[in-house]
Amino acid sequence: MKDNLYQYLLGIADNSLILGQRMGELCGHGPSLETDIACTNISLDLFGQVRSYYQYAAKIAGDGRTEDDIAMLRKEREYLNVLLVEQPNTDFAYTMARHFLFDVYHLLFLTELKKSKDMTLAAIATKCIKEVRYHQRFSSDWIRRLGDGTEESHNRMQAAINDLWTYTDELFHQTEADKAMVSEGIGVDVTKLKAAYYEKVNTILEESTLSIPESKYFQKGGKMGIHTEHIGFLLAELQYMQRTYPNMEW
């Protein structure tokens, strides 16, 4: 159980870590000052959530590693985030589409995680859910604004949704650690979130005058450590200081 819980924690935390890094890339590059600050704050929210998960993971591991070691010193194949969150900030529509498609899942997931028999996980979920509720509202508003905006904003958002749709089904795949934690009453059965997820996403897309992609082909692998080419570049930047100056502390 100990190893499964550790792997389960990584699966949750790595999603927020990688998405937080992606959102942090927008610092100084947002379309307006207000939006720039909002995206940076969302990044900080996600990193704050990550700390709670990694601190707990370090305690479970009990091998002397710290939260920083777990966050910064793993190799690419040891990260268990879904492929969706590592996709690059191609343009602002792409960034908001990626954020939205994860936010809807994230809120549903935390709502169920609050019911976990693991009191630490339940407490983390309760703390994080307020932030994630805002994240979903923020990204949903931008889906509507761009989808139902100008012809160019509509086309860019539609292209982003079409490209990212292929990564959404992986959110509902279960690893062996996931299944073990569900059987213990600790983890969330993500397969039961799928219908509510697509119902919410499709409703927002329709309100935004966007077409729901018809593709039935989906990509997966991130939860097993098999990633797209993008994550290597992301980790090179994320881990630079710790790799260059080992054991550095603030």
Side-chain angles (χ1 to χ4, degrees):
M1 175 179 168
K2 180 180 176 180
D3 185 60
N4 283 327
L5 178 56
Y6 177 77
Q7 294 296 319
Y8 186 68
L9 288 167
L10 293 187
I12 301 171
D14 288 351
N15 285 330
S16 294
L17 176 73
I18 300 304
L19 184 58
Q21 179 69 8
R22 278 289 185 229
M23 294 302 288
E25 292 173 4
L26 290 179
C27 184
H29 300 282
S32 67
L33 180 59
E34 180 181 4
T35 305
D36 186 299
I37 293 172
C39 290
T40 305
N41 283 335
I42 289 172
S43 175
L44 291 173
D45 286 344
L46 291 169
F47 278 116
Q49 295 170 18
V50 164
R51 288 198 64 194
S52 297
Y53 290 121
Y54 286 157
Q55 285 170 355
Y56 188 29
K59 180 180 178 181
I60 294 297
D63 55 8
R65 283 182 297 164
T66 67
E67 58 182 286
D68 288 338
D69 295 332
I70 295 173
M72 302 294 183
L73 300 181
R74 283 179 289 150
K75 297 178 181 179
E76 178 180 322
R77 292 293 295 268
E78 296 173 321
Y79 286 83
L80 305 179
N81 58 280
V82 294
L83 299 177
L84 174 64
V85 297
E86 66 194 51
Q87 301 310 302
N89 297 315
T90 304
D91 60 23
F92 189 65
Y94 208 94
T95 297
M96 286 298 101
R98 180 196 62 221
H99 202 27
F100 165 70
L101 292 173
F102 181 73
D103 288 342
V104 175
Y105 163 81
H106 201 188
L107 185 57
L108 290 170
F109 178 83
L110 290 177
T111 300
E112 293 304 311
L113 191 62
K114 285 170 57 179
K115 305 171 186 176
S116 174
K117 290 182 179 179
D118 186 306
M119 299 306 293
T120 302
L121 271 179
I124 295 172
T126 300
K127 179 175 179 287
C128 296
I129 199 167
K130 297 176 183 177
E131 296 171 339
V132 174
R133 191 173 288 117
Y134 163 73
H135 298 173
Q136 181 185 290
R137 185 169 69 250
F138 177 81
S139 59
S140 297
D141 286 346
W142 273 108
I143 296 295
R144 295 186 183 97
R145 290 174 69 178
L146 297 178
D148 198 23
T150 65
E151 181 180 357
E152 180 176 2
S153 72
H154 174 88
N155 290 340
R156 283 177 179 262
M157 182 54 74
Q158 186 66 65
I161 292 293
N162 291 346
D163 286 349
L164 293 167
W165 195 258
T166 188
Y167 301 110
T168 56
D169 191 64
E170 186 187 13
L171 294 165
F172 311 103
H173 289 195
Q174 287 185 311
T175 65
E176 291 306 312
D178 292 341
K179 293 175 183 177
M181 291 298 96
V182 169
S183 68
E184 296 284 343
I186 293 173
V188 176
D189 186 348
V190 292
T191 63
K192 295 181 179 179
L193 305 180
K194 189 172 183 177
Y197 173 83
Y198 282 112
E199 180 181 358
K200 177 67 175 180
V201 167
N202 292 350
T203 297
I204 299 296
L205 293 182
E206 289 172 354
E207 291 174 358
S208 309
T209 70
L210 294 165
S211 300
I212 299 167
E214 297 180 358
S215 174
K216 303 299 181 184
Y217 297 97
F218 297 96
Q219 295 192 45
K220 61 182 180 179
K223 287 187 172 185
M224 303 301 294
I226 303 171
H227 296 280
T228 64
E229 67 274 18
H230 305 299
I231 198 169
F233 297 100
L234 183 150
L235 291 176
E237 184 172 302
L238 173 68
Q239 297 180 344
Y240 173 78
M241 293 298 287
Q242 279 290 338
R243 296 290 189 184
T244 307
Y245 303 99
N247 303 315
M248 181 187 68
E249 295 181 0
W250 287 106

